[in-house]
Amino acid sequence: MIYYVDANFAGNTGTGSKECPFKTISEAAKVAVAGDEVLVAPGVYREYVDPVNAGREDARITYRSVEPLKAVI
């Protein structure tokens, strides 16, 4: 599954979809499981991220900036 995060999303709550992203990386970290990918839009994210679930050696949880070096935590 791919989850999307955008700190600049205008909605109050997001579902993690491309059309309705989470506002924080922490929200995505609560639902992401082994093999998932979290795509983070450019912006500044002032938060502590503590993933609830762990990935596996063969199925990691990947957190990636949509634009390299544009998402700052």
Side-chain angles (χ1 to χ4, degrees):
M1 181 112 196
I2 298 175
Y3 293 104
Y4 294 86
V5 178
D6 187 345
N8 299 310
F9 179 64
N12 288 339
T13 59
T15 61
S17 68
K18 190 171 190 174
E19 298 77 22
C20 192
F22 291 126
K23 286 186 85 76
T24 66
I25 299 168
S26 294
E27 289 176 278
K30 289 179 184 176
V31 297
V33 296
D36 287 348
E37 183 174 20
V38 177
L39 298 178
V40 183
V44 176
Y45 298 84
R46 298 186 189 283
E47 60 182 296
Y48 173 77
V49 180
D50 187 18
V52 173
N53 302 301
R56 298 187 316 263
E57 181 89 20
D58 64 329
R60 300 177 188 274
I61 300 173
T62 305
Y63 295 83
R64 183 168 55 94
S65 178
V66 173
E67 293 181 42
L69 305 175
K70 296 293 183 179
V72 178
I73 302 172

